Amino acid sequence: MPTPAPITQDVLTLPRKLPEGGKINLVGLTRDQMRSVLIENGTPEKQAKMRVGQIWQWIYQWGKRDFADMTNLAKAYRAQLAENFEISIPEVVSKQVSTDGTRKYLVRIAGGHEVEVVYIPEEGRGTLCISSQVGCTLTCSFCHTGTQKLVRNLTPAEIVGQVMMARDDLDEWPIPGAPKDETRLLSNIVLMGMGEPLYNFDNVRDAMNIAMDPEGISLSRRRITLSTSGVVPEIARTAEEIGCLLAVSFHATTNETRDVLVPINKRWNIDELLQALANYPKVSNSERITFEYVMLDGVNDSDEDAHRLLDHIKRYNIPAKINLIPFNEWPGAPYKRSSNNRIRAFANIIYQAGYASPIRKTRGDDIMAACGQLKSATERARKSRKQIEAEAGLSQS
């Protein structure tokens, strides 16, 4: 029998608290939260809203980390801020650059834990793949990250801090007074790194609303895609409280197979998930839901699977595109990648039915930065191939 997969959030996994007496980090606070802490630390209430606007712009529009640089604030006030607050983001431990230009960062957060962040440059756009948890509870059997236990949720500061860290590395903060440059090296965010974003909903929401704020990083909601394995109760909230695009880690067309590949399916099955997607308030032909589908040799890649996938989408009338992902192998992986011919045949069936079926180009696999390969070295729960196969229900009896 495979080990039962944890498919619900570990309620004891809480964001780490600041040390007693430590300075308050302004990164990750909502505008209302920032206003409250400024007032609590000596800012006159009548000035607080204006001060929030000024400090917000310095942090998120100009990328400043030193209060001394905030030249439209009085010197005495800057000193007061420096005494009580800090502007802190995750620390880059290492950076690897792939032959294709993909950058993988290992970043350290409070408590010494580490997460991975990936920047993928493409013509006309640059996508940052960010993490929402240290580890993951979902144990999806094809995913390297899923073999790492959940340590804790990331805070809003640690989530939006990944975006700020990447902008630092890309040298993309604008200079006050310089002509506005609309071209963006970091133009898109995908919540597809470590963790299940909808099991850390409030922190993800606050971080993404900061990233979308027009007086700061100012990314359009349509340039942010949240990927979920299928936490059905939180899907509608995503549209209402974040408003971003949605992707779903689908990966199988029968409950029997999806129970193994994506164990959360045991809690909310394919039909329950599809109904939630059909009801997604933002879904339209211009804002289609992306079905992510990893191609596993002999597991989910048959013509019958392609036709079943189409039947599911048509039955619920979901505007969709199907993103086919060649499996990125990792040490000990219990699966193999489908052949190129099989992937093309699968894609053709989808395409002929009138749906976009791009085959995702594998990026950064030479530095273990490709989809499903992220796993921070210091948090590894190393397992043998035999253990992984047993937990995936693939061991021979």
Side-chain angles (χ1 to χ4, degrees):
M1 285 285 292
T3 305
I7 56 173
T8 57
Q9 174 63 298
D10 174 359
V11 294
L12 299 178
T13 303
L14 300 170
R16 185 180 177 84
K17 289 182 179 173
L18 285 170
E20 287 297 319
K23 291 184 180 181
I24 298 167
N25 186 12
L26 293 182
V27 176
L29 299 182
T30 65
R31 284 178 177 267
D32 286 344
Q33 289 168 339
M34 190 183 291
R35 180 179 179 277
S36 294
V37 298
L38 289 178
I39 292 169
E40 286 166 15
N41 287 273
T43 299
E45 194 166 340
K46 286 184 179 176
Q47 296 179 15
K49 186 178 179 183
M50 176 183 70
R51 297 302 184 210
V52 168
Q54 291 170 317
I55 295 166
W56 191 276
Q57 281 192 302
W58 283 113
I59 295 173
Y60 296 117
Q61 186 170 332
W62 311 118
K64 299 300 182 186
R65 308 287 153 74
D66 188 338
F67 293 108
D69 293 332
M70 301 183 181
T71 50
N72 60 349
L73 302 176
K75 262 191 179 180
Y77 186 59
R78 282 182 261 168
Q80 180 185 323
L81 290 173
E83 193 177 321
N84 295 295
F85 303 107
E86 63 181 6
I87 302 166
S88 178
I89 67 170
E91 169 199 356
V92 178
V93 177
S94 67
K95 179 178 85 170
Q96 293 173 275
V97 182
S98 168
T99 53
D100 63 22
T102 298
R103 304 183 187 198
K104 183 172 79 168
Y105 309 94
L106 183 67
V107 299
R108 183 171 294 133
I109 58 174
H113 302 302
E114 293 168 353
V115 295
E116 291 183 330
V117 187
V118 176
Y119 171 73
I120 305 162
E122 299 170 274
E123 193 167 338
R125 62 190 273 162
T127 300
L128 189 71
C129 178
I130 63 176
S131 297
S132 55
Q133 296 178 312
V134 185
C136 190
T137 54
L138 296 182
T139 63
C140 297
S141 57
F142 59 88
C143 180
H144 199 213
T145 312
T147 66
Q148 174 182 316
K149 66 182 180 181
L150 177 70
V151 178
R152 71 169 174 86
N153 288 332
L154 298 187
T155 64
E158 291 162 347
I159 297 169
V160 76
Q162 295 170 57
V163 182
M164 298 167 73
M165 172 277 301
R167 293 196 88 190
D168 285 352
D169 187 57
L170 295 166
D171 194 22
E172 198 177 21
W173 295 105
I175 298 165
K180 194 172 182 182
D181 184 357
E182 295 294 346
T183 59
R184 289 237 179 166
L185 296 173
L186 198 170
S187 62
N188 294 66
I189 294 172
V190 292
L191 284 143
M192 296 182 185
M194 296 165 63
E196 165 54 66
L198 297 190
Y199 274 157
N200 188 17
F201 183 88
D202 289 355
N203 291 342
V204 166
R205 175 201 60 210
D206 289 352
M208 290 304 98
N209 282 328
I210 291 169
M212 291 185 287
D213 190 295
E215 292 181 12
I217 297 169
S218 191
L219 281 173
S220 159
R221 65 173 185 83
R222 294 181 68 167
R223 290 190 172 271
I224 297 173
T225 301
L226 183 148
S227 175
T228 178
S229 294
V231 184
V232 165
E234 305 292 352
I235 286 176
R237 282 185 76 199
T238 304
E240 291 155 8
E241 298 181 35
I242 304 175
C244 61
L245 302 185
L246 190 69
V248 61
S249 295
F250 205 68
H251 306 311
T253 60
T254 67
N255 284 316
E256 182 183 21
T257 303
R258 198 166 190 267
D259 282 352
V260 173
L261 296 181
V262 190
I264 198 174
N265 196 70
K266 298 171 190 173
R267 174 59 61 92
W268 297 289
N269 67 25
I270 286 175
D271 281 316
E272 290 172 288
L273 175 57
L274 290 168
Q275 188 61 65
L277 298 177
N279 294 339
Y280 190 65
K282 293 286 179 188
V283 70
S284 66
N285 283 327
S286 64
E287 297 190 25
R288 297 167 295 174
I289 287 172
T290 299
F291 282 70
E292 297 165 307
Y293 199 93
V294 66
M295 300 297 293
L296 303 170
D297 183 39
V299 176
N300 64 352
D301 62 351
S302 68
D303 287 358
E304 290 74 20
D305 281 306
H307 289 295
R308 262 196 304 269
L309 180 57
L310 290 167
D311 289 343
H312 287 320
I313 293 168
K314 288 176 179 176
R315 182 156 40 95
Y316 284 91
N317 194 29
I318 299 171
K321 74 171 182 178
I322 293 85
N323 205 353
L324 300 179
I325 307 166
F327 176 58
N328 297 306
E329 297 187 27
W330 39 270
Y335 302 106
K336 293 196 182 309
R337 178 185 296 189
S338 304
S339 70
N340 290 340
N341 285 344
R342 180 88 298 268
I343 296 172
R344 281 195 291 268
F346 195 103
N348 193 50
I349 291 170
I350 304 293
Y351 177 74
Q352 292 296 330
Y355 294 87
S357 57
I359 299 169
R360 185 182 293 175
K361 185 180 177 185
T362 299
R363 300 291 300 271
D365 57 340
D366 57 326
I367 55 170
M368 286 287 284
C371 181
Q373 289 184 323
L374 300 191
K375 184 173 181 184
S376 59
T378 57
E379 304 291 351
R380 289 177 196 273
R382 288 188 173 84
K383 300 179 183 180
S384 68
R385 178 183 286 270
K386 205 170 191 178
Q387 281 176 296
I388 294 166
E389 287 180 347
E391 290 180 11
L394 299 173
S395 53
Q396 300 298 313
S397 53

